[in-house]
């Protein structure tokens, strides 16, 4: 084999290695940005700290995702709102639908604001293992609640 053939094979090999490295980087960048690959919401409880940057008050409402991935409970001062819940397991889509609202929640403007914000959600984002954002007609900031014994 001639020296020029060896150099050509070396250049092709180096180009292929660079191509493979670039492809792996793209895959990791995509996987790293997909919330469903970063954090499992099933069976977790989250405190809603704010809606559009405005505090939800104290005690803050909580959102409990069921283990099965099809229901959630929104705990508000007025009572528990039962929600249907759907999530794209390989993307960032997420949505809620109302199954039951206690009568007192309809007359509380603060509680109704949180309900409306939650049911407007269409996607989510992971801030870190302890914080997520729900995005829709409003932006909700949530922090993870400790696991109850």
């Amino acid at each position: 084999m001639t020296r020029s053939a060896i150099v050509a094979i070396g250049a092709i090999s180096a180009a292929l290695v660079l191509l493979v490295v670039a492809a792996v980087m793209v895959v990791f960048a995509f996987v790293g940005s997909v919330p469903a690959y970063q954090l499992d919401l099933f069976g977790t409880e989250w405190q809603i700290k704010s809606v559009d940057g405005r505090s939800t008050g104290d005690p803050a409402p909580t959102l409990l995702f069921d283990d099965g991935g099809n229901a959630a409970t929104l705990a508000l001062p007025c009572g528990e709102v039962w929600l249907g819940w759907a999530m794209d397991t390989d993307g960032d889509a997420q949505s809620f639908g109302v199954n039951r609202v206690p009568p007192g929640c309809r007359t509380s403007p603060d509680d109704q604001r949180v309900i409306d914000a939650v049911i407007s959600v269409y996607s989510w984002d992971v801030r870190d293992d302890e914080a997520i954002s729900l995005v829709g007609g409003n932006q909700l900031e949530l922090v993870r609640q400790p696991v109850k014994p």
Side-chain angles (χ1 to χ4, degrees):
M1 195 176 293
T2 67
R3 179 174 169 89
S4 60
I6 293 172
V7 170
I9 290 172
I12 291 171
S13 296
L16 287 174
V17 166
L18 287 175
L19 185 62
V20 168
V21 168
V24 167
M25 289 174 62
V26 167
V27 167
F28 279 117
F30 175 73
V31 168
S33 67
V34 176
Y37 296 157
Q38 297 174 32
L39 191 64
D40 186 7
L41 294 179
F42 302 107
T44 62
E45 186 173 357
W46 299 81
Q47 190 177 62
I48 302 172
K49 300 302 282 182
S50 67
V51 176
D52 292 334
R54 193 169 131 207
S55 174
T56 55
D58 190 27
T62 59
L63 186 60
L64 172 64
F65 295 95
D66 78 340
D67 290 325
N70 58 9
T73 303
L74 176 61
L76 297 163
C78 64
E80 289 187 347
V81 178
W82 297 347
L83 303 167
W85 168 52
M87 181 180 111
D88 180 3
T89 58
D90 62 355
D92 66 353
Q94 186 166 162
S95 64
F96 298 90
V98 174
N99 291 334
R100 179 191 163 282
V101 177
C105 292
R106 301 250 184 239
T107 59
S108 168
D110 288 338
D111 292 339
Q112 190 61 53
R113 176 176 71 95
V114 174
I115 295 168
D116 291 343
V118 169
I119 63 174
S120 77
V121 167
Y122 55 78
S123 72
W124 67 298
D125 188 35
V126 175
R127 300 289 182 220
D128 59 44
D129 287 345
E130 303 299 319
I132 61 173
S133 294
L134 300 179
V135 181
N138 307 93
Q139 180 153 337
L140 297 92
E141 298 298 331
L142 294 82
V143 294
R144 186 189 295 266
Q145 291 294 99
V147 176
K148 295 176 184 170

